[in-house]
Amino acid sequence: MHRGRWLMLLAAAILAAGLGYLVFEARIAREFDALDSSSPARILARPWTLRAGGRVDPRRLIDHLKRVGYRSVSGRTPQAGEFSARGRDLLVGRRTLRLGGFVDPGVHARVRFRSNGRISAIRDAEGKDLASLLLDPEVIGTSLGEHGRDRVPVRLDEVPQHLVDALLTVEDRRFYEHGALDPRRIGGAALSNLRQRRVAEGGSTITQQLARTLFLSTDRTVLRKLREAAIAVALERRFSKQRLLEAYVNHIYLGQHRGTAIHGFGRAAQFYFGRDISELTLGQSAMLVGIVRGPSVYSPHRHPERARARRDMVLRQMHAVGHLDDARRDDELEADPEIRRPPERNFDARWYLDFLRRELAAGDAPLEPEGGGPTVISSLAPELQRAAETAVSKGIRSMERLRPRLREQAGPLQAALVALDPRTGDILAMVGGRSYGTSQFNRAVDARRQPGSAFKPVVALAALTPGADPSFTLASVLKDEPLALDTPAGVWKPANADREFLGPIRLREALEGSRNVPFARLGLAVGPDRIIETARRLGIESPLAPYPSLALGASEVTLLELTAAYAVLAAEGRRTPPRSALTVLGRDGTARRETMARSESVVSPAEAYLVTSALRGVIEHGTGSGVRAAGYRGPLAAKSGTTNDSRDAWFVGYTPELAVGVWVGFDDGTPVGLPGSRAALPIFTDFMIRVLGPRGGRDFRFPAGVERVDVEPATGRRAGWGCRGEPELFLAGTTPEAYCGYRPQPWRRRTLSPESPATSDDPGSFRRGRVRVRADGRDGPDAGPRAAASRSRTPDTSRGPSGRPAALPSPRGPRRPSPP
């Protein structure tokens, strides 16, 4: 009776233990799958692709290769991760690129340059032409997730066989023969440790080491060893040997870098040797296997001699079991392991990374970068980001040095910068403040501030809209006279920064000189609804109050919004929303998200060019002339902005390939005491020179639908005979009909006979048989010597050295531009 009861209890206990273990095994299997499938998200910079015919500065190309860990060699063919400059040729051993699950095999390429910097050809090692060559992008960030491990997952078939041989030789020679535990090895290790009276040899199998790495701590206790054995048995029951070996290759701990744990041979190959795992030499594989025993003790970076001795031990063991012959062993023992230190990133893009993560988590299909090991191809251009951070830091220090009171405020002076590609909307650089370490608030994206006069181009564009009532042109005359307007909040009296009035002034001059009162009148004539509608077309989404002061930039916007609005003008009226993530690749190599550049035409190229021409005048002889004084000579359209009491200073400008915005101010609204042309302009100019050089980039294209006509400066009328004119641009069909002086008469042909040849004292005649008709209908000079002299004094400045239209000068010369 009692015996039967005990048997029943024993059976129940065994059954409960079995069920408990099955539950435990299932939990271990689920957690293993989750750990093995999750890996860090790697965020890469904007890729750089070389193409035949493209223009590239070879020095910039070499700098990029050095930044991503390539080494310069001479006298031999570059191997993977190396390059060699030979005359006009650049030989590159391009490493295997691993972008998520997408793998681009390594290639040895020869890039040949012409004297003008253009690439004439790209060929592989066999001399075959390559259409393009994708270079290694810089890693700008890594989202490690909750486990804080940095690793690069690889498939077992991508691992060199000599690394697998070395690993099994040293760590578990009977891996494919035993189960979770190896009693023979455990016994041998115990005897060895007893003889040496210390723990000289471990008895753990690869599966046990994997269980410890994934689930347990490194504490040496009996309980931990029992749990390790139980987990190892569960793993061996659920998964194949190949799957477990692949997991070991991807998860084993192999070092530390700045507080981040390096796990897996894929990441260790990059970290210690600057190579993809598939490109490791036998000696390098042996060294990696050698440091498994103690990554901190045998680190190739900190203890190269110890790491080399450990490598030699692995090579000798491989020779002893027959993996290497005598000659191969001796060659590898003498070979240099070519240890590389990881390249240091010399820029801080954390504001940009925060914005990118926010974009990935938003939208209809949220994507968390921490799960599933995605690789994010971003829009960031590292060279521009470095230039932006340097320009902002240098600009702030310069202002504080010249004006010590700026350092005496309650909070530090701040500045923000954002740079966009107008054609694609790509965010190329972003600086959100003075220091990310002290303030993570992104002033380029999240701070809404009044733009002041930097908003005037939006008002000008609204005024120039064809078919609107009333209609305006750049030659329209505005009143720069005192203005008082009754509003519900009281009488509004806008004033110019210099507290003076210039009387009648053309719209172009008012924009170039940043005159507030004429633009206040223009805003009243155009109406706030039309201004807001124009701002919305340009992509400004912040609330805009329909008050008269809207025309002077009284409504708050973000720096990114305003810069993107200027980018529409740079792109000839096409709006492409800003984007930070280009593509997100999953572990299987497929695109989990691809952000296409959605471009739409919101303004005609002709309208955009009219505003651009006026903003070019701002640079030549307006409030932005400091750009030229600072040494930037390239094509540029820009506008400064300053709010009341100089609380906010702005400078936003663009070229055909780059739109840049800069803001300077205090977070609490403390007055800076400087206009945008003195606070933000120096930072803007420094950045442009660093990126495009003093000579700048491409010039603006003169579009169809724009006409050039000479107008009289004081009245805006079309210049006739006897009336001095200056060149001005108009939309087709909007040129002034009223004339100043005599209206020119049409050409009339007549045939000259031998008796009446063209003479040098007849300026209106031509030897080819065509003359101009005088105002009185007679052949001869247009309107006498006075008119001819007047015309000869009017230079043709409508075209620059390249033959394209240049910035049109102010018809009255530089009118004492006031701070915006």
Side-chain angles (χ1 to χ4, degrees):
M1 179 84 178
H2 292 288
R3 184 179 179 184
R5 181 183 299 174
W6 281 109
L7 289 175
M8 290 179 61
L9 290 175
L10 179 61
I14 293 174
L15 179 61
L19 291 176
Y21 182 78
L22 291 177
V23 173
F24 167 79
E25 183 180 288
R27 179 175 64 83
I28 291 298
R30 288 195 305 271
E31 292 182 7
F32 175 80
D33 277 329
L35 288 170
D36 196 38
S37 62
S38 67
S39 58
R42 207 164 298 279
I43 303 174
L44 306 179
R46 181 187 180 100
W48 193 355
T49 303
L50 303 181
R51 291 185 173 85
R55 186 187 297 275
V56 177
D57 185 347
R59 293 171 297 182
R60 288 181 55 201
L61 179 55
I62 290 175
D63 288 344
H64 172 78
L65 292 174
K66 290 179 178 177
R67 286 196 301 269
V68 294
Y70 280 67
R71 184 172 63 176
S72 176
V73 298
S74 60
R76 62 180 177 86
T77 301
Q79 301 303 309
E82 298 176 339
F83 70 91
S84 177
R86 302 178 184 177
R88 292 184 180 176
D89 288 355
L90 182 67
L91 280 65
V92 181
R94 214 289 310 281
R95 297 177 294 217
T96 296
L97 294 186
R98 196 174 295 274
L99 309 177
F102 170 76
V103 178
D104 187 11
V107 61
H108 290 80
R110 179 186 294 270
V111 183
R112 175 159 294 178
F113 292 89
R114 296 192 182 100
S115 58
N116 61 359
R118 288 196 180 276
I119 298 175
S120 60
I122 304 175
R123 296 187 175 91
D124 62 13
E126 299 177 354
K128 297 180 181 178
D129 287 330
L130 299 176
S132 62
L133 178 65
L134 179 64
L135 300 180
D136 305 47
E138 292 188 51
V139 178
I140 63 173
T142 305
S143 295
L144 301 178
E146 58 178 333
H147 303 289
R149 297 172 176 178
D150 188 9
R151 67 189 189 92
V152 176
V154 296
R155 299 191 309 273
L156 192 58
D157 58 9
E158 296 173 323
V159 180
Q161 185 59 44
H162 51 66
L163 191 153
V164 175
D165 292 340
L167 179 61
L168 296 181
T169 297
V170 175
E171 296 298 329
D172 196 347
R173 296 182 186 179
R174 299 179 61 249
F175 174 70
Y176 288 105
E177 301 172 17
H178 60 68
L181 309 178
D182 186 1
R184 184 190 303 180
R185 184 174 184 185
I186 293 173
L191 290 175
S192 176
N193 294 337
L194 285 173
R195 283 195 300 266
Q196 301 186 43
R197 295 183 180 181
R198 64 185 180 89
V199 181
E201 185 177 336
S204 297
T205 63
I206 277 182
T207 308
Q208 286 179 274
Q209 295 180 48
L210 178 62
R212 181 170 63 246
T213 300
L214 292 179
F215 298 98
L216 303 172
S217 68
T218 57
D219 298 336
R220 293 189 174 185
T221 64
V222 175
L223 180 59
R224 195 268 292 168
K225 291 296 292 184
L226 292 174
R227 294 180 62 194
E228 176 185 296
I231 295 173
V233 171
L235 292 176
E236 288 273 356
R237 281 174 48 83
R238 289 280 185 148
F239 302 100
S240 68
K241 287 285 188 178
Q242 291 295 96
R243 173 75 184 277
L244 295 176
L245 182 59
E246 181 177 280
Y248 183 94
V249 166
N250 282 316
H251 288 279
I252 192 66
Y253 173 67
L254 290 169
Q256 197 86 4
H257 179 57
R258 293 185 174 181
T260 299
I262 304 298
H263 282 256
F265 289 100
R267 181 70 184 100
Q270 298 176 352
F271 180 66
Y272 291 116
F273 305 111
R275 294 190 176 195
D276 185 78
I277 189 172
S278 62
E279 298 165 343
L280 290 175
T281 65
L282 171 59
Q284 291 169 341
S285 293
M287 182 171 284
L288 290 181
V289 170
I291 67 176
V292 169
R293 182 176 180 180
S296 61
V297 177
Y298 301 108
S299 169
H301 291 157
R302 287 180 290 178
H303 308 291
E305 293 305 320
R306 295 180 191 175
R308 185 159 186 156
R310 187 71 179 162
R311 177 205 67 173
D312 295 349
M313 182 275 296
V314 174
L315 291 172
R316 290 189 179 98
Q317 287 196 22
M318 294 179 69
H319 173 262
V321 298
H323 286 306
L324 302 178
D325 56 25
D326 293 347
R328 183 76 184 277
R329 177 201 60 188
D330 295 340
D331 289 343
E332 292 298 333
L333 289 173
E334 295 296 326
D336 180 5
E338 299 182 0
I339 299 170
R340 310 270 182 89
R341 289 195 173 273
E344 298 294 334
R345 192 171 73 232
N346 57 353
F347 62 91
D348 183 2
R350 285 181 286 180
W351 280 297
Y352 174 86
L353 292 173
D354 289 346
F355 178 75
L356 181 144
R357 293 187 181 102
R358 188 195 313 175
E359 276 205 330
L360 291 178
D364 298 332
L367 180 64
E368 293 293 339
E370 283 76 13
T375 296
V376 181
I377 309 298
S378 75
S379 64
L380 190 81
E383 186 175 355
L384 273 69
Q385 181 66 26
R386 277 184 282 269
E389 293 176 4
T390 302
V392 168
S393 177
K394 179 182 174 183
I396 290 177
R397 291 199 308 269
S398 178
M399 281 184 282
E400 291 180 337
R401 185 177 63 253
L402 296 176
R403 293 166 179 82
R405 73 165 190 83
L406 295 175
R407 294 196 297 266
E408 301 169 358
Q409 306 304 318
L413 181 66
Q414 299 287 350
L417 184 151
V418 65
L420 306 174
D421 185 335
R423 300 158 294 189
T424 62
D426 292 350
I427 300 175
L428 306 177
M430 179 182 288
V431 178
R434 181 190 190 108
S435 168
Y436 186 90
T438 57
S439 173
Q440 293 77 50
F441 182 64
N442 193 338
R443 295 157 188 84
V445 175
D446 299 320
R448 283 195 172 99
R449 308 296 286 255
Q450 293 179 342
S453 293
F455 193 76
K456 288 177 180 174
V458 179
V459 181
L461 184 63
L464 296 172
T465 301
D469 184 23
S471 60
F472 292 88
T473 69
L474 290 176
S476 296
V477 177
L478 308 175
K479 292 182 179 180
D480 190 2
E481 299 173 354
L483 173 64
L485 184 67
D486 290 328
T487 70
V491 179
W492 181 56
K493 294 182 178 181
N496 296 313
D498 57 7
R499 304 298 175 184
E500 297 183 3
F501 300 96
L502 303 180
I505 184 172
R506 288 193 298 154
L507 194 158
R508 173 187 287 276
E509 292 178 288
L511 185 55
E512 291 175 353
S514 198
R515 309 298 295 179
N516 288 336
V517 177
F519 257 84
R521 294 180 181 276
L522 181 65
L524 292 173
V526 171
D529 292 340
R530 196 156 119 204
I531 296 174
I532 293 174
E533 188 272 334
T534 301
R536 298 290 183 243
R537 279 191 289 144
L538 297 178
I540 296 177
E541 298 178 352
S542 293
L544 301 176
Y547 301 142
S549 57
L550 173 65
L552 303 184
S555 289
E556 297 177 339
V557 297
T558 68
L559 179 62
L560 179 60
E561 279 182 315
L562 192 60
T563 306
Y566 276 60
V568 176
L569 302 175
E572 299 183 349
R574 298 198 67 85
R575 175 175 172 262
T576 307
R579 61 174 181 170
S580 58
L582 306 184
T583 305
V584 180
L585 300 173
R587 289 187 60 180
D588 58 356
T590 60
R592 295 174 57 184
R593 174 184 290 185
E594 191 166 4
T595 307
M596 303 300 295
R598 301 184 305 274
S599 177
E600 61 174 329
S601 179
V602 295
V603 177
S604 73
E607 295 172 70
Y609 189 80
L610 291 191
V611 179
T612 295
S613 71
L615 296 183
R616 297 186 72 177
V618 170
I619 297 300
E620 301 303 333
H621 36 250
T623 55
S625 58
V627 172
R628 298 295 189 224
Y632 183 79
R633 303 186 299 275
L636 179 67
K639 185 71 185 74
S640 57
T642 312
T643 58
N644 290 341
D645 301 323
S646 299
R647 297 178 186 273
D648 301 281
W650 301 68
F651 200 85
V652 188
Y654 56 91
T655 69
E657 65 262 68
L658 188 63
V660 182
V662 176
W663 168 87
V664 177
F666 288 96
D667 288 339
D668 61 1
T670 299
V672 178
L674 294 171
S677 57
R678 296 176 63 189
L681 182 148
I683 297 175
F684 176 94
T685 308
D686 185 16
F687 174 78
M688 295 296 289
I689 292 176
R690 290 177 186 274
V691 173
L692 297 179
R695 300 179 64 180
R698 295 189 296 111
D699 203 350
F700 295 95
R701 187 183 69 89
F702 192 91
V706 176
E707 297 180 0
R708 173 190 171 279
V709 171
D710 287 353
V711 298
E712 200 277 326
T715 64
R717 294 182 177 182
R718 187 191 291 254
W721 292 332
C723 184
R724 179 177 176 271
E726 296 286 353
E728 186 54 274
L729 300 179
F730 297 86
L731 296 177
T734 66
T735 55
E737 297 181 357
Y739 277 83
C740 168
Y742 292 102
R743 183 186 182 112
Q745 299 298 318
W747 290 92
R748 191 183 72 188
R749 291 181 178 275
R750 71 178 175 87
T751 302
L752 297 179
S753 64
E755 291 78 20
S756 57
T759 59
S760 60
D761 61 348
D762 184 359
S765 62
F766 296 86
R767 293 185 181 276
R768 297 177 62 182
R770 200 166 74 168
V771 299
R772 188 184 295 274
V773 179
R774 292 186 183 184
D776 58 5
R778 292 183 294 135
D779 298 339
D782 292 348
R786 180 178 178 183
S790 175
R791 287 193 305 276
S792 67
R793 289 195 301 269
T794 304
D796 184 4
T797 58
S798 63
R799 295 190 174 270
S802 63
R804 294 174 176 171
L808 296 176
S810 173
R812 301 187 184 183
R815 270 187 184 256
R816 292 181 295 176
S818 60

